[in-house]
Amino acid sequence: MTAIQIPEPVSRNSVVMTDGAEVVLRRYGNLSAPRIILSHGNGCAIDGYFPYWARLLTDFEVVVFDFRNCGVNPIHDGDHGYARFLLDMTEIYDAIDRAFGRKPQIGAFHSMSARTNLKYALDGRKRLDGLIVFDPPMVPPPDHDLYDLMHSEERVLWRWSAGRPEEFDDPSELAAAYAASRMLSGWVDGAYDLMARAVLRQDVETDKWKLVCSPARESEVYRQNAAMTIWPQADEFPMPVLLIASDPDSDIPSAPGHACRALRDECGWSYECVPGTGHFLQIQEPEICARLTLEFAEKVLG
């Protein structure tokens, strides 16, 4: 297996949040094209999704960032949850405008970052011309038929993440754990190693590899996912939104796929399902996800 290498960005800018946390913005791709902004799911880092966003570099100016306390960002002792993430998004969008200039732009976000940007848009803040959300784990109100399924999955994940190993002798140990997980099956060649390297950082004193996003922080986000019961109609958003979902009929476990299909049926969301995929569909079927991204961008941006 050949290791996947992330290229050097065209430019890199750091933005400091009002509470002192630092978020690194990286810019890639075709700088004369429209912009796409991307981020990741809970416990992950955007470099782990490179098999997907590598396919966008010709047609977009690509700006990627990790959420606070994730990926390439320094660790910060402040809040780590959705209330803080929403404040961060305003500062991140402002920093992108300052650093790279304003232009037509869409966002493409997975899971945690998707839920953040959906809530951000529902609050009336329009910083994008269009929004793609990949398999957001939407928890409906308690009287909904899917509430127990979605709420129980988030509870399972917050208990699991709280007790997961935090240190490894080598990234290959975490990559092997990813590869052994049924929920993470079907990733493209090299992606398990890529994600492991993206979420770990070597401690210079111990030589151990440690999760950048601590298990406690990851667990807290899952806990907040379970409590965030929003179930909006499609016309409540101030921009076009496309929901690209995992396959609820796949043998790869993914409760969000059921919620996403219900949002199509009950709330009129624009929806695409990627057959045979689980929650990490961008890493399982990056070519299909990139094609759907380009088709949406053409409709929204012309």
Side-chain angles (χ1 to χ4, degrees):
M1 180 191 71
T2 302
I4 300 172
Q5 298 296 328
I6 307 296
E8 283 297 310
V10 175
S11 57
R12 182 191 306 259
N13 291 75
S14 293
V15 54
V16 178
M17 306 291 106
T18 53
D19 68 345
E22 183 178 342
V23 172
V24 179
L25 308 174
R26 289 174 291 155
R27 189 188 195 197
Y28 296 87
N30 181 353
L31 304 190
S32 63
R35 177 180 296 142
I36 185 167
I37 302 169
L38 303 101
S39 198
H40 57 84
N42 190 25
C44 299
I46 191 58
D47 281 358
Y49 298 74
F50 184 67
Y52 160 66
W53 58 265
R55 290 168 163 80
L56 307 177
L57 297 176
T58 299
D59 296 285
F60 292 100
E61 173 189 308
V62 175
V63 175
V64 300
F65 70 93
D66 295 302
F67 271 48
R68 59 172 49 220
N69 300 311
C70 296
V72 301
N73 295 327
I75 302 302
H76 185 261
D77 289 334
D79 291 342
H80 187 91
Y82 281 105
R84 185 65 242 187
F85 297 161
L86 291 167
L87 296 173
D88 289 350
M89 286 312 308
T90 293
E91 298 182 52
I92 289 165
Y93 284 128
D94 286 348
I96 291 171
D97 286 347
R98 287 194 306 270
F100 309 137
R102 295 189 178 188
K103 63 162 54 178
Q105 61 186 22
I106 64 172
F109 300 104
H110 177 242
S111 198
M112 175 185 74
S113 63
R115 292 209 77 186
T116 301
N117 277 275
L118 287 168
K119 182 65 168 66
Y120 190 85
L122 283 172
D123 290 344
R125 291 171 285 194
K126 184 178 185 294
R127 303 302 294 265
L128 301 165
D129 297 295
L131 173 62
I132 299 173
V133 287
F134 286 93
D135 219 41
M138 302 291 280
V139 180
D143 60 351
H144 194 281
D145 289 345
L146 288 174
Y147 174 79
D148 287 343
L149 172 68
M150 295 304 301
H151 193 263
S152 63
E153 170 140 314
E154 297 303 321
R155 289 201 311 269
V156 167
L157 288 169
W158 100 49
R159 289 194 297 268
W160 164 80
S161 57
R164 70 180 298 197
E166 187 169 4
E167 289 187 344
F168 301 85
D169 291 327
D170 187 84
S172 62
E173 294 179 13
L174 180 56
Y178 286 155
S181 168
R182 183 175 168 221
M183 182 180 289
L184 308 183
S185 61
W187 288 18
V188 297
D189 187 43
Y192 298 120
D193 172 73
L194 178 68
M195 185 65 83
R197 289 186 284 114
V199 302
L200 294 172
R201 187 174 299 162
Q202 192 168 25
D203 187 303
V204 295
E205 295 182 359
T206 66
D207 286 335
K208 294 282 189 179
W209 291 82
K210 191 171 183 178
L211 290 170
V212 180
C213 179
S214 70
R217 290 192 174 101
E218 183 180 359
S219 180
E220 173 60 18
V221 170
Y222 286 127
R223 186 191 69 78
Q224 293 186 22
N225 268 346
M228 192 192 305
T229 55
I230 54 174
W231 202 250
Q233 296 294 315
D235 60 8
E236 294 181 48
F237 295 99
M239 79 283 280
V241 175
L242 174 62
L243 176 56
I244 304 180
S246 62
D247 184 352
D249 300 318
S250 168
D251 61 359
I252 301 173
S254 179
H258 294 274
C260 291
R261 184 165 61 184
L263 285 166
R264 176 199 66 184
D265 295 341
E266 299 170 15
C267 302
W269 288 40
S270 296
Y271 168 93
E272 295 282 353
C273 174
V274 181
T277 60
H279 188 52
F280 286 89
L281 59 166
Q282 292 150 286
I283 312 177
Q284 295 161 324
E285 293 289 354
E287 188 170 348
I288 294 174
C289 291
R291 174 177 57 78
L292 293 171
T293 300
L294 290 167
E295 290 173 357
F296 176 78
E298 289 173 359
K299 291 178 183 175
V300 170
L301 302 175

